[in-house]
Amino acid sequence: MARGGPKLHHGRRQELGQSFQDGGEHYHRVRPGYPEDSADWLIPAGARSAADLGAGTGKFTALLVDRGLEVSAVDPSRDMLEQLGRDCPAVHAVVGTAEETGLPSAAFDVVSVAQAWHWCDPLRASTEISRILRPHGVVGLIWNQLDTSVPWVHRLSRIMHAGDVHKPDFRPRIGPEFTSLESHLTRWEDPVTPDDILELAKSRSYYLAANDATRAKVTGNLTWYLHEHLGHADGELLQLPYLTQIWRAVRAERRGGSR
């Protein structure tokens, strides 16, 4: 079962999750995308349809669309889904959650949850995902994380309060409806400026849920770290190291055969 990773009680998880209800355009502009091989590794041969839960502004959704799948996107934020619709107009967008998707049963070959599983109730969401997947369907849980094995990035993550950086032994918690859990890791770099990093910090739940004094402390510390301590100039292009970890599991055969 789960080890490592962020530990949030239900109330705090809901409080932080609500911080993403607005600001879809800013989130879409400053958050990184996902490497191509994350989708290639997840999608099984012959897959025709996918549901992207916690889809946000469609950062991972776009990879599914690009691979010719018929895609439904679910997110609790209308603002996020409006941004998704501008870039992926063919996607069927639904206001909902991973626990209550509003999607039909046994309708999808793939379900993805990118950068959102830590906001979900893993057991309730597993039951719902199992319901909407076809027999032998695949669920993928995807995280972009700063590569904190790089010393300057480790300190950066602490200043930004990047709480979704997993410990090395992390395994996501999923329900008994799934089996054959396995993972895939991609190391890559995102070209950004110091100002981009500042805007990235402003898109994180810690900053969005904070008061003005805490926000000022975060931006002040980041400005000092990037410009004075590391010596980067305004507009200088940096390579920000990331890890993308994706976990894949298969819907287990139900007792008495598939229904």
Side-chain angles (χ1 to χ4, degrees), residues 110-181:
V110 183
V111 170
S112 56
V113 186
Q115 215 71 18
W117 192 246
H118 47 287
W119 303 124
C120 304
D121 179 319
L123 297 184
R124 287 183 58 213
S126 293
T127 299
E128 175 70 350
I129 292 169
S130 176
R131 181 187 68 80
I132 67 175
L133 276 173
R134 295 189 176 108
H136 311 296
V138 170
V139 62
L141 311 177
I142 305 103
W143 281 274
N144 268 341
Q145 303 174 79
L146 295 171
D147 185 356
T148 57
S149 68
V150 179
W152 77 268
V153 179
H154 181 263
R155 187 169 183 182
L156 176 71
S157 74
R158 294 178 67 86
I159 296 172
M160 293 173 64
H161 292 266
D164 55 353
V165 176
H166 296 151
K167 295 179 181 179
D169 62 350
F170 171 77
R171 287 173 64 87
R173 187 183 186 194
I174 58 174
E177 298 89 351
F178 293 94
T179 187
S180 304
L181 183 67

Side-chain angles (χ1 to χ4, degrees), residues 95-114:
V95 176
T97 66
E99 296 86 357
E100 297 181 24
T101 65
L103 298 175
S105 298
F108 301 96
D109 301 303
V110 183
V111 170
S112 56
V113 186

Side-chain angles (χ1 to χ4, degrees), residues 188-245:
W188 61 287
E189 294 181 333
D190 192 29
V192 295
T193 65
D195 188 59
D196 292 333
I197 294 176
L198 188 63
E199 292 303 311
L200 178 65
K202 293 178 181 179
S203 78
R204 290 186 168 270
S205 59
Y206 177 85
Y207 183 92
L208 293 171
N211 59 33
D212 289 343
T214 299
R215 290 183 177 189
K217 182 178 179 181
V218 170
T219 56
N221 287 344
L222 269 179
T223 299
W224 169 84
Y225 182 60
L226 292 168
H227 293 292
E228 296 183 38
H229 184 73
L230 295 178
H232 295 302
D234 286 336
E236 181 181 348
L237 200 62
L238 317 176
Q239 297 298 323
L240 183 59
Y242 274 95
L243 302 175
T244 297
Q245 187 167 33

Side-chain angles (χ1 to χ4, degrees), residues 16-80:
L16 292 175
Q18 284 294 316
S19 65
F20 292 112
Q21 286 296 313
D22 300 311
E25 185 278 332
H26 181 261
Y27 184 100
H28 191 71
R29 176 165 48 86
V30 305
R31 284 293 182 108
Y34 296 88
E36 298 283 341
D37 71 334
S38 60
D40 294 335
W41 184 80
L42 170 62
I43 300 169
R48 304 185 307 277
S49 60
D52 192 24
L53 311 185
T57 63
K59 291 285 188 176
F60 194 79
T61 316
L63 295 183
L64 301 172
V65 172
D66 289 346
R67 281 150 183 79
L69 299 181
E70 183 178 343
V71 182
S72 293
V74 177
D75 198 89
S77 168
R78 293 184 184 276
D79 188 68
M80 292 281 188

